[in-house]
Amino acid sequence: MGESSLCLQYVSPYAFEAMQKVDVVRLAALSDPELRLLLPCLVRMALCASADQSQSWAQDKKSLLRLLSGVEAVNSIVALLSVDFHALEQDANKEQQLRHKLNGGTGESILTSQLHHGLTLEFEHSDSPRRLRLVLSELLAIMNKVADSNGEYFLKSSELFESPVHMEEAADVLCILQAELHSLLPITDMAEALLHVRNGAWFLCLLVANVPDSFNEVCRSLIKNGERQDEESAGGRRRTEALRQLCKMNPSQALKVRGMVVEECHLPGLGVALTLDHTKNEAGDDGVSNMVCFVSGLLLGTNAKVRTWFGTFIRNGQLRRRENSSSVLWQMRKQLLSELMSILPTEQKTQVSEGGDPEHGGPVYCGLKEEHVVKASALLRLYCALMGIAGLKPTDEEAEQVLQLMTSRPPATPAGVRFVSLSFCMLLAFSTLVSTPEQEQLMLMWLSWMIKEEAYFESTAGVSASFGEMLLLVAMYFHSNQLSAIIDLVCSTLGMKIVIKPSSLSRMKTIFTQEIFTEQVVTAHAVRVPVTSNLSANIAGFLPIHCIYQLLRSRAFTKHKVSIKDWIYTQICETTTPLHQQLIPLVDVYINSVITPASKSSPEATNKPITEQEILKVFQGHAGENSRQNQCNKITTQLLLLYYLLSYEEALLANSKTLAAMQKKPKSYSPLLMDQIPIKYLIRQAQGLQQELGGLHSALLRLLATNYPHLCIVDDWMCEEEITGTDALLRRMLMTNSAKNHSPKQLQDAFLQLQSNHTQVLQILEHLTLLSASDLIPYADVLTANMSQLLKVGVPRRILQTVNKLWMTLNTVMPRRLWVMTVNALQPSLKLARSHKYTQNDLMIDPLIVLRCDARVLRCPPLMDITLHMLNGYLLASKAYLNSYLKETADQDIKQSPSNAMAALAGQTETMEVTREELKNALLSAQDSAAVQILLEVCLPSEDKNQDQLEEDSLLCNLREVQCLICCLLHQMFIADPNIAKLVHFQGYPCQLLPLTVAGIPSMHICLDFIPELIAQPELEKQIFAIQLLSHLCIQYALPKSLSMARLAVNVMGTLLTVLTQAKRFVFFITTLPCLVPFCQAFPPLYEDIMSLLIQIGQVCASNVATQTRDVDPIISRLQQLKEKPKDLSGAFNISPLPVSATKDLESLDPDVQLCHQVENTIIDIINMSVTGV
């Protein structure tokens, strides 16, 4: 601003508040100079009619008139208000139109014509109307020029607004014009125009003071039209100064205006200036100042646009000379430095209690005061943001003071731990702060103090994550040269993303690796660090687990032969939910260090695995009844150990070849250990805790699907949804006390009386269905042991179904143990008498043991359902078992070859590996096909005639239900591996089962793919089976592909007619001719080809018996007539197959005659089918 503005009097905050509230008492207390500035508004208020007709305002108006009556300048304002403003507005509009026509030219003014003197003299000698016109004309000229300037700043020289003598009168005119001509002169446009004249800020403050409710509108308009960087231009600085004066006049709105600045991302200097003004008015407290909060919020907030805008302000401000102490940036830096120095400790010495005994109060430092720690942390983060994000280059004084603050020693409180962590990370991020040997010595002393006092701080402050773990972690990163990890750690701790050059860490790396933490010291210290008690994701910061993880990754423990197994096991046992995100990576890297040697030269350099006894200790311990926290910790530990076991076995198999080449075989955990772990129960628990376990549940499912596919059967998951659903929960809510009181012994006693008393067993079983799966576990032994009694005659079906339901419920929590007990319980009575018990391993090697059960099971649908479920599970388990066995024994091929001939036999080894894989696949295929063949044989009616009669009486029989269950399983097997379906059908099975398999197994349509290959087999039986199978498939799946296959079958039959001998021709056609009827039924277009084939077969057979005495020509001629006119003959004759007596007579005829009669019967069946539509 101009020098003349220095002696001007601005409206005080007291006066502005009085105007806002129209407080006449306060207005009366103002001095004459202060009152003079507010006269335009007060005079209009007193003279103009008011909408407020209350008695209180009437009294206030009288007081206001009394106050104004003693002021001389009121007369001139009254005269201004007496002008005809309507005519004045019309002339102003005409002048605006004239200026527009002249494109902004300065022609003759309608408002101020015939100016004989200068504008100031003219204003002095003019009356009130003339004065209004002079000011209005000058103001409109400035406003028009502003509108045409396209944002470029200019300073308009106007003697009317610069003369100290007439400034108050000019201000009066401005206020009256704005009040009376507000549509012509919007206050926001007037405010923008006043910025372009000298003393504009003073005029603007008076204008707003006389219209106090326009304060926010004017401020927002000025900020919105302002520059993005106000310190770069004269216009920006003048705008900032004007807004600053406005906020001084109304300090209660200063922070709101600052908010507008940030919202618009304009005038950053104004935001800082307003904060400086507000900070000066703050009471001297020890809290974080408004300046620190404001600048930190801009640089560390989530708004990237604001961060970039303010960072540009800092960078541009540094380009100007440092001597410019009037700049807002320099004032801000000075303020921050003074705040920093105000909290610096005055002494940096250590006082220890007498005798140096740390137990007597511990070390006491005359360092940072406790009430200053939070403020010091905020200042450190702010300087980090200024230097790292905004690019501030600190002066020597700033760098020295910041380093003094960083190396100060706070009290042992959680805030003190946080301060030390921030200081340490800032030291890593800005190592340039340490520039002299004295400063480097100060830093080394401070780091030594950190190492020495870390344990004291952690115990006194009561925090789990202290700065000791961070020191250890950084040391490990330096040793492994993971500088990017250090940078990520620093940015994470500071809470900001800053650019740190790896080269800037070279000096710190030397100090850490050579002077403070050697690698051997790091590993030895890490093992002694106590584990984190009740480790969970709720504990933030850097913990011992981070340090151990990095040391395991760098193989430091194996290099220096330091055992870490006990630490890992103890930490796993000290975990709870929600699961800490570092636990799963820790287990993975530990497994890798156990199995994979650090180098090929030293295969023994591995960590020790967790022992089986330690694992069993976790699964066999029992928590107290009321220790819910202990149970939560226990389930988390058990799930982690389960993950460890499964991952360990998977990694062992994956690295088996590499380990065999290195002649190293890590110990595998025994199957007995895995049998004692309730895998399915733990998975169910993990499913209910998915939100708290992070990715552990999904990782366990992946490992189960690979290593234990029999525990991931889809039917089991669906059954589990039903058991754990809402209906089951409602039933348990209605459970009576009697259901809880039945013991396993009572159930056993009830089974002993099953033949005489069905009700008691059924009642107990029904009550047991209300229990959860976990509560049913004690009853599993009794249920399975008495399954053989359920096979006796007369056992009600409801008991069988209830047992099936209970078995399926138990299957969700203890499937492997349950299967073994059930298989042993369902053995035939002879085997039970010999007390032969199968083990889990026996059943995985030979799954078909499941089907060697009591024959009565095969006709008991509820128990057959259980048997099929176990069979499916053990078939899957056998595949996984053989896969793992193949990988486990991969070293045998290598051991069989001499070491000096390994290279020569590399190709041979690969061939042997392929052979082993092929043998395994052949064994699995044979195993699956054998199971399918046995199940198909079960579907055949039994040999007992009485039983056959019972089974044929109704479709709702046991045989039909068993057939349905078997078809469902076969469908699943065929879908899972279509090659099984192909193998079974190439082997063949009784043709009387074809209607059942085709109709009952939905996936039988895949047989259409290999029908041509099956028909092409040289064995006559397979060709017959293929055509019979195809006849049923055509009826079930009348598809274009089936039509092609049927046409192929007809052509093959025609070809075989010419090449088969008489005996083979009879065997082939006597069984395949009935298949032609379904072909015609499914595909009528084949009628002509099939009839021609039948006539051809009849002619061939007739030619063979032409020399015999029996005359078959009438048969041949009848067949020809049937082919040519089937409808006529069907109406004239009653066409029907030969009667039974005639058929028996034909049995004594030769094969060709029998075949001729079979041809006739086939044609008759086709004609009847085509005529009747059957």
CSV table of all heavy atoms in Angstrom, one decimal, residues 1004-1046:
chain,number,residue,atom,x,y,z
A,1004,MET,N,-24.1,-89.2,-18.3
A,1004,MET,CA,-23.9,-90.3,-19.3
A,1004,MET,C,-23.8,-89.8,-20.7
A,1004,MET,O,-23.3,-90.5,-21.6
A,1004,MET,CB,-25.0,-91.4,-19.2
A,1004,MET,CG,-24.8,-92.3,-18.0
A,1004,MET,SD,-23.4,-93.4,-18.2
A,1004,MET,CE,-24.0,-94.5,-19.4
A,1005,HIS,N,-24.2,-88.6,-21.0
A,1005,HIS,CA,-24.1,-88.1,-22.3
A,1005,HIS,C,-22.7,-88.0,-22.8
A,1005,HIS,O,-22.4,-87.9,-24.0
A,1005,HIS,CB,-24.8,-86.7,-22.4
A,1005,HIS,CG,-24.1,-85.7,-21.5
A,1005,HIS,ND1,-23.0,-84.9,-22.0
A,1005,HIS,CD2,-24.4,-85.3,-20.3
A,1005,HIS,CE1,-22.6,-84.1,-21.0
A,1005,HIS,NE2,-23.4,-84.3,-20.0
A,1006,ILE,N,-21.7,-88.0,-21.9
A,1006,ILE,CA,-20.3,-87.9,-22.3
A,1006,ILE,C,-19.9,-89.2,-23.0
A,1006,ILE,O,-18.9,-89.2,-23.7
A,1006,ILE,CB,-19.4,-87.7,-21.1
A,1006,ILE,CG1,-19.5,-88.8,-20.1
A,1006,ILE,CG2,-19.7,-86.3,-20.5
A,1006,ILE,CD1,-18.5,-88.6,-18.9
A,1007,CYS,N,-20.7,-90.3,-22.9
A,1007,CYS,CA,-20.4,-91.5,-23.6
A,1007,CYS,C,-20.5,-91.4,-25.1
A,1007,CYS,O,-19.9,-92.1,-25.9
A,1007,CYS,CB,-21.3,-92.6,-23.1
A,1007,CYS,SG,-21.1,-93.0,-21.4
A,1008,LEU,N,-21.2,-90.4,-25.6
A,1008,LEU,CA,-21.4,-90.2,-27.0
A,1008,LEU,C,-20.0,-89.8,-27.6
A,1008,LEU,O,-19.8,-90.0,-28.8
A,1008,LEU,CB,-22.4,-89.0,-27.3
A,1008,LEU,CG,-23.8,-89.4,-27.0
A,1008,LEU,CD1,-24.7,-88.1,-27.1
A,1008,LEU,CD2,-24.4,-90.4,-27.9
A,1009,ASP,N,-19.1,-89.3,-26.8
A,1009,ASP,CA,-17.8,-88.9,-27.4
A,1009,ASP,C,-16.9,-90.1,-27.7
A,1009,ASP,O,-16.1,-90.0,-28.7
A,1009,ASP,CB,-17.0,-88.0,-26.3
A,1009,ASP,CG,-17.7,-86.7,-26.0
A,1009,ASP,OD1,-18.5,-86.3,-26.9
A,1009,ASP,OD2,-17.6,-86.2,-24.9
A,1010,PHE,N,-17.1,-91.2,-27.0
A,1010,PHE,CA,-16.2,-92.4,-27.3
A,1010,PHE,C,-17.0,-93.6,-27.9
A,1010,PHE,O,-16.4,-94.7,-28.0
A,1010,PHE,CB,-15.4,-92.8,-26.1
A,1010,PHE,CG,-16.3,-93.1,-24.9
A,1010,PHE,CD1,-16.9,-94.3,-24.7
A,1010,PHE,CD2,-16.4,-92.2,-23.9
A,1010,PHE,CE1,-17.7,-94.6,-23.6
A,1010,PHE,CE2,-17.1,-92.4,-22.7
A,1010,PHE,CZ,-17.8,-93.6,-22.6
A,1011,ILE,N,-18.2,-93.4,-28.3
A,1011,ILE,CA,-19.0,-94.5,-29.0
A,1011,ILE,C,-18.3,-95.0,-30.2
A,1011,ILE,O,-18.1,-96.2,-30.4
A,1011,ILE,CB,-20.4,-94.0,-29.2
A,1011,ILE,CG1,-21.2,-94.0,-28.0
A,1011,ILE,CG2,-21.1,-95.0,-30.3
A,1011,ILE,CD1,-21.5,-95.4,-27.4
A,1012,PRO,N,-17.8,-94.1,-31.1
A,1012,PRO,CA,-17.1,-94.6,-32.3
A,1012,PRO,C,-15.9,-95.5,-32.0
A,1012,PRO,O,-15.6,-96.5,-32.6
A,1012,PRO,CB,-16.7,-93.3,-33.0
A,1012,PRO,CG,-17.6,-92.3,-32.6
A,1012,PRO,CD,-17.9,-92.6,-31.2
A,1013,GLU,N,-15.1,-95.0,-31.0
A,1013,GLU,CA,-13.9,-95.8,-30.6
A,1013,GLU,C,-14.3,-97.1,-30.0
A,1013,GLU,O,-13.7,-98.2,-30.2
A,1013,GLU,CB,-13.1,-95.0,-29.5
A,1013,GLU,CG,-11.8,-95.6,-29.2
A,1013,GLU,CD,-11.0,-94.7,-28.3
A,1013,GLU,OE1,-11.5,-93.5,-28.0
A,1013,GLU,OE2,-9.9,-95.1,-27.8
A,1014,LEU,N,-15.4,-97.2,-29.2
A,1014,LEU,CA,-15.9,-98.4,-28.6
A,1014,LEU,C,-16.4,-99.4,-29.7
A,1014,LEU,O,-16.2,-100.6,-29.6
A,1014,LEU,CB,-17.0,-98.1,-27.6
A,1014,LEU,CG,-17.5,-99.3,-26.7
A,1014,LEU,CD1,-16.3,-100.0,-26.0
A,1014,LEU,CD2,-18.5,-98.8,-25.7
A,1015,ILE,N,-17.1,-98.9,-30.7
A,1015,ILE,CA,-17.6,-99.7,-31.8
A,1015,ILE,C,-16.5,-100.3,-32.6
A,1015,ILE,O,-16.6,-101.4,-33.1
A,1015,ILE,CB,-18.6,-98.9,-32.6
A,1015,ILE,CG1,-19.9,-98.6,-31.9
A,1015,ILE,CG2,-19.0,-99.7,-33.9
A,1015,ILE,CD1,-20.9,-97.8,-32.7
A,1016,ALA,N,-15.4,-99.5,-32.7
A,1016,ALA,CA,-14.2,-100.0,-33.5
A,1016,ALA,C,-13.4,-101.0,-32.8
A,1016,ALA,O,-12.4,-101.5,-33.4
A,1016,ALA,CB,-13.4,-98.7,-33.8
A,1017,GLN,N,-13.7,-101.4,-31.6
A,1017,GLN,CA,-12.9,-102.4,-30.9
A,1017,GLN,C,-13.1,-103.8,-31.6
A,1017,GLN,O,-14.2,-104.1,-32.1
A,1017,GLN,CB,-13.4,-102.5,-29.4
A,1017,GLN,CG,-13.1,-101.3,-28.6
A,1017,GLN,CD,-11.7,-101.0,-28.4
A,1017,GLN,OE1,-10.9,-101.8,-28.1
A,1017,GLN,NE2,-11.3,-99.8,-28.8
A,1018,PRO,N,-12.0,-104.6,-31.6
A,1018,PRO,CA,-12.1,-105.9,-32.3
A,1018,PRO,C,-13.0,-106.9,-31.6
A,1018,PRO,O,-13.5,-107.8,-32.2
A,1018,PRO,CB,-10.7,-106.3,-32.3
A,1018,PRO,CG,-10.0,-105.7,-31.2
A,1018,PRO,CD,-10.7,-104.3,-31.0
A,1019,GLU,N,-13.2,-106.8,-30.3
A,1019,GLU,CA,-14.0,-107.8,-29.5
A,1019,GLU,C,-15.5,-107.6,-29.9
A,1019,GLU,O,-16.0,-106.5,-29.8
A,1019,GLU,CB,-13.8,-107.6,-28.0
A,1019,GLU,CG,-12.4,-108.0,-27.6
A,1019,GLU,CD,-11.4,-106.8,-27.6
A,1019,GLU,OE1,-11.9,-105.8,-28.2
A,1019,GLU,OE2,-10.3,-106.9,-27.1
A,1020,LEU,N,-16.1,-108.7,-30.2
A,1020,LEU,CA,-17.5,-108.6,-30.6
A,1020,LEU,C,-18.4,-108.2,-29.4
A,1020,LEU,O,-19.4,-107.5,-29.5
A,1020,LEU,CB,-18.0,-110.0,-31.0
A,1020,LEU,CG,-19.3,-110.0,-31.9
A,1020,LEU,CD1,-19.1,-109.3,-33.1
A,1020,LEU,CD2,-19.7,-111.5,-32.2
A,1021,GLU,N,-18.0,-108.6,-28.1
A,1021,GLU,CA,-18.8,-108.2,-27.0
A,1021,GLU,C,-18.9,-106.7,-26.8
A,1021,GLU,O,-19.9,-106.1,-26.4
A,1021,GLU,CB,-18.3,-108.9,-25.7
A,1021,GLU,CG,-18.4,-110.4,-25.7
A,1021,GLU,CD,-17.3,-111.1,-26.6
A,1021,GLU,OE1,-16.4,-110.3,-27.1
A,1021,GLU,OE2,-17.3,-112.3,-26.7
A,1022,LYS,N,-17.7,-106.1,-27.0
A,1022,LYS,CA,-17.7,-104.6,-26.8
A,1022,LYS,C,-18.5,-103.9,-27.9
A,1022,LYS,O,-19.1,-102.9,-27.7
A,1022,LYS,CB,-16.2,-104.1,-26.9
A,1022,LYS,CG,-15.4,-104.6,-25.7
A,1022,LYS,CD,-14.0,-104.0,-25.7
A,1022,LYS,CE,-13.2,-104.5,-24.4
A,1022,LYS,NZ,-11.9,-103.9,-24.4
A,1023,GLN,N,-18.5,-104.4,-29.1
A,1023,GLN,CA,-19.3,-103.8,-30.2
A,1023,GLN,C,-20.8,-104.0,-29.8
A,1023,GLN,O,-21.6,-103.0,-30.0
A,1023,GLN,CB,-19.0,-104.5,-31.5
A,1023,GLN,CG,-17.6,-104.3,-32.0
A,1023,GLN,CD,-17.2,-105.1,-33.2
A,1023,GLN,OE1,-17.9,-106.1,-33.5
A,1023,GLN,NE2,-16.1,-104.8,-33.9
A,1024,ILE,N,-21.2,-105.1,-29.3
A,1024,ILE,CA,-22.6,-105.3,-29.0
A,1024,ILE,C,-22.9,-104.4,-27.8
A,1024,ILE,O,-24.0,-103.7,-27.9
A,1024,ILE,CB,-22.8,-106.8,-28.5
A,1024,ILE,CG1,-22.6,-107.7,-29.7
A,1024,ILE,CG2,-24.2,-107.0,-27.9
A,1024,ILE,CD1,-22.6,-109.2,-29.3
A,1025,PHE,N,-22.0,-104.2,-26.8
A,1025,PHE,CA,-22.3,-103.4,-25.7
A,1025,PHE,C,-22.4,-101.9,-26.2
A,1025,PHE,O,-23.3,-101.1,-25.7
A,1025,PHE,CB,-21.2,-103.5,-24.6
A,1025,PHE,CG,-21.4,-102.7,-23.4
A,1025,PHE,CD1,-22.3,-103.0,-22.4
A,1025,PHE,CD2,-20.7,-101.5,-23.2
A,1025,PHE,CE1,-22.5,-102.3,-21.3
A,1025,PHE,CE2,-20.9,-100.7,-22.1
A,1025,PHE,CZ,-21.8,-101.1,-21.1
A,1026,ALA,N,-21.6,-101.5,-27.1
A,1026,ALA,CA,-21.6,-100.1,-27.6
A,1026,ALA,C,-23.0,-99.8,-28.3
A,1026,ALA,O,-23.5,-98.8,-28.1
A,1026,ALA,CB,-20.5,-99.9,-28.6
A,1027,ILE,N,-23.5,-100.8,-29.1
A,1027,ILE,CA,-24.7,-100.5,-29.8
A,1027,ILE,C,-25.9,-100.5,-28.8
A,1027,ILE,O,-26.8,-99.7,-28.9
A,1027,ILE,CB,-24.9,-101.6,-30.9
A,1027,ILE,CG1,-23.9,-101.4,-32.0
A,1027,ILE,CG2,-26.3,-101.4,-31.5
A,1027,ILE,CD1,-23.9,-102.4,-33.1
A,1028,GLN,N,-25.9,-101.4,-27.8
A,1028,GLN,CA,-26.9,-101.4,-26.8
A,1028,GLN,C,-26.9,-100.1,-26.0
A,1028,GLN,O,-27.9,-99.5,-25.7
A,1028,GLN,CB,-26.7,-102.6,-25.9
A,1028,GLN,CG,-27.0,-103.9,-26.5
A,1028,GLN,CD,-26.7,-105.1,-25.6
A,1028,GLN,OE1,-25.8,-105.0,-24.8
A,1028,GLN,NE2,-27.4,-106.2,-25.8
A,1029,LEU,N,-25.7,-99.7,-25.6
A,1029,LEU,CA,-25.6,-98.4,-24.9
A,1029,LEU,C,-26.1,-97.2,-25.7
A,1029,LEU,O,-26.8,-96.4,-25.2
A,1029,LEU,CB,-24.1,-98.2,-24.5
A,1029,LEU,CG,-23.7,-96.8,-23.9
A,1029,LEU,CD1,-24.4,-96.6,-22.6
A,1029,LEU,CD2,-22.2,-96.7,-23.7
A,1030,LEU,N,-25.7,-97.2,-27.0
A,1030,LEU,CA,-26.1,-96.1,-27.9
A,1030,LEU,C,-27.6,-96.1,-28.0
A,1030,LEU,O,-28.2,-95.0,-28.1
A,1030,LEU,CB,-25.5,-96.3,-29.2
A,1030,LEU,CG,-25.8,-95.2,-30.3
A,1030,LEU,CD1,-25.4,-93.8,-29.8
A,1030,LEU,CD2,-25.1,-95.5,-31.6
A,1031,SER,N,-28.3,-97.3,-28.1
A,1031,SER,CA,-29.8,-97.3,-28.2
A,1031,SER,C,-30.4,-96.6,-27.1
A,1031,SER,O,-31.4,-95.9,-27.3
A,1031,SER,CB,-30.2,-98.7,-28.4
A,1031,SER,OG,-30.0,-99.4,-27.2
A,1032,HIS,N,-29.9,-96.8,-25.9
A,1032,HIS,CA,-30.5,-96.1,-24.7
A,1032,HIS,C,-30.2,-94.6,-24.7
A,1032,HIS,O,-31.0,-93.8,-24.3
A,1032,HIS,CB,-30.0,-96.8,-23.4
A,1032,HIS,CG,-30.6,-98.1,-23.2
A,1032,HIS,ND1,-30.0,-99.3,-23.7
A,1032,HIS,CD2,-31.7,-98.6,-22.6
A,1032,HIS,CE1,-30.7,-100.3,-23.4
A,1032,HIS,NE2,-31.8,-99.9,-22.7
A,1033,LEU,N,-28.9,-94.3,-25.1
A,1033,LEU,CA,-28.5,-92.9,-25.2
A,1033,LEU,C,-29.4,-92.1,-26.2
A,1033,LEU,O,-29.7,-90.9,-26.0
A,1033,LEU,CB,-27.0,-92.7,-25.5
A,1033,LEU,CG,-26.1,-93.2,-24.4
A,1033,LEU,CD1,-24.6,-93.1,-25.0
A,1033,LEU,CD2,-26.2,-92.3,-23.2
A,1034,CYS,N,-29.7,-92.7,-27.3
A,1034,CYS,CA,-30.5,-92.0,-28.3
A,1034,CYS,C,-31.9,-91.6,-27.8
A,1034,CYS,O,-32.4,-90.6,-28.1
A,1034,CYS,CB,-30.6,-92.9,-29.6
A,1034,CYS,SG,-29.1,-93.0,-30.5
A,1035,ILE,N,-32.5,-92.5,-27.0
A,1035,ILE,CA,-33.8,-92.2,-26.4
A,1035,ILE,C,-33.7,-91.1,-25.4
A,1035,ILE,O,-34.5,-90.2,-25.3
A,1035,ILE,CB,-34.4,-93.5,-25.8
A,1035,ILE,CG1,-34.7,-94.5,-26.9
A,1035,ILE,CG2,-35.7,-93.2,-25.0
A,1035,ILE,CD1,-35.7,-94.1,-27.9
A,1036,GLN,N,-32.6,-91.2,-24.6
A,1036,GLN,CA,-32.4,-90.2,-23.5
A,1036,GLN,C,-32.0,-88.8,-24.0
A,1036,GLN,O,-32.4,-87.8,-23.5
A,1036,GLN,CB,-31.4,-90.7,-22.5
A,1036,GLN,CG,-31.3,-89.9,-21.2
A,1036,GLN,CD,-32.5,-90.1,-20.3
A,1036,GLN,OE1,-33.2,-91.1,-20.4
A,1036,GLN,NE2,-32.7,-89.1,-19.4
A,1037,TYR,N,-31.1,-88.9,-25.0
A,1037,TYR,CA,-30.5,-87.6,-25.5
A,1037,TYR,C,-30.7,-87.6,-27.1
A,1037,TYR,O,-29.8,-88.0,-27.8
A,1037,TYR,CB,-29.0,-87.5,-25.2
A,1037,TYR,CG,-28.7,-87.6,-23.7
A,1037,TYR,CD1,-28.2,-88.8,-23.2
A,1037,TYR,CD2,-29.0,-86.6,-22.8
A,1037,TYR,CE1,-27.9,-89.0,-21.8
A,1037,TYR,CE2,-28.7,-86.7,-21.5
A,1037,TYR,CZ,-28.2,-87.9,-21.0
A,1037,TYR,OH,-27.9,-88.0,-19.7
A,1038,ALA,N,-31.8,-87.2,-27.5
A,1038,ALA,CA,-32.1,-87.2,-29.0
A,1038,ALA,C,-31.5,-85.9,-29.6
A,1038,ALA,O,-32.1,-84.9,-29.9
A,1038,ALA,CB,-33.6,-87.2,-29.2
A,1039,LEU,N,-30.2,-85.9,-29.7
A,1039,LEU,CA,-29.4,-84.8,-30.2
A,1039,LEU,C,-28.8,-85.0,-31.6
A,1039,LEU,O,-28.8,-86.2,-32.0
A,1039,LEU,CB,-28.2,-84.5,-29.2
A,1039,LEU,CG,-28.6,-84.3,-27.7
A,1039,LEU,CD1,-27.4,-84.3,-26.9
A,1039,LEU,CD2,-29.4,-83.1,-27.6
A,1040,PRO,N,-28.4,-84.0,-32.3
A,1040,PRO,CA,-27.8,-84.2,-33.6
A,1040,PRO,C,-26.6,-85.2,-33.5
A,1040,PRO,O,-26.3,-86.0,-34.4
A,1040,PRO,CB,-27.3,-82.8,-34.0
A,1040,PRO,CG,-28.3,-81.9,-33.4
A,1040,PRO,CD,-28.6,-82.6,-32.1
A,1041,LYS,N,-25.8,-85.1,-32.4
A,1041,LYS,CA,-24.7,-85.9,-32.3
A,1041,LYS,C,-25.1,-87.4,-32.1
A,1041,LYS,O,-24.5,-88.3,-32.6
A,1041,LYS,CB,-23.9,-85.5,-31.0
A,1041,LYS,CG,-22.5,-86.2,-30.9
A,1041,LYS,CD,-21.7,-85.6,-29.8
A,1041,LYS,CE,-20.4,-86.2,-29.7
A,1041,LYS,NZ,-19.5,-85.6,-28.6
A,1042,SER,N,-26.2,-87.6,-31.4
A,1042,SER,CA,-26.7,-89.0,-31.2
A,1042,SER,C,-27.2,-89.5,-32.6
A,1042,SER,O,-27.0,-90.7,-32.9
A,1042,SER,CB,-27.9,-89.0,-30.3
A,1042,SER,OG,-27.5,-88.4,-29.0
A,1043,LEU,N,-27.8,-88.7,-33.4
A,1043,LEU,CA,-28.2,-89.1,-34.8
A,1043,LEU,C,-27.0,-89.6,-35.6
A,1043,LEU,O,-27.1,-90.6,-36.3
A,1043,LEU,CB,-28.9,-88.0,-35.5
A,1043,LEU,CG,-29.3,-88.2,-37.0
A,1043,LEU,CD1,-30.2,-89.4,-37.1
A,1043,LEU,CD2,-29.9,-87.0,-37.6
A,1044,SER,N,-25.9,-88.8,-35.5
A,1044,SER,CA,-24.7,-89.3,-36.2
A,1044,SER,C,-24.2,-90.6,-35.7
A,1044,SER,O,-23.8,-91.5,-36.5
A,1044,SER,CB,-23.6,-88.2,-36.1
A,1044,SER,OG,-24.1,-86.9,-36.5
A,1045,MET,N,-24.2,-90.8,-34.4
A,1045,MET,CA,-23.7,-92.0,-33.8
A,1045,MET,C,-24.6,-93.2,-34.2
A,1045,MET,O,-24.2,-94.3,-34.5
A,1045,MET,CB,-23.7,-91.9,-32.3
A,1045,MET,CG,-22.6,-90.9,-31.8
A,1045,MET,SD,-20.9,-91.3,-32.3
A,1045,MET,CE,-20.7,-90.1,-33.6
A,1046,ALA,N,-26.0,-92.9,-34.2
A,1046,ALA,CA,-26.9,-94.0,-34.6
A,1046,ALA,C,-26.7,-94.4,-36.1
A,1046,ALA,O,-26.7,-95.6,-36.5
A,1046,ALA,CB,-28.3,-93.5,-34.4
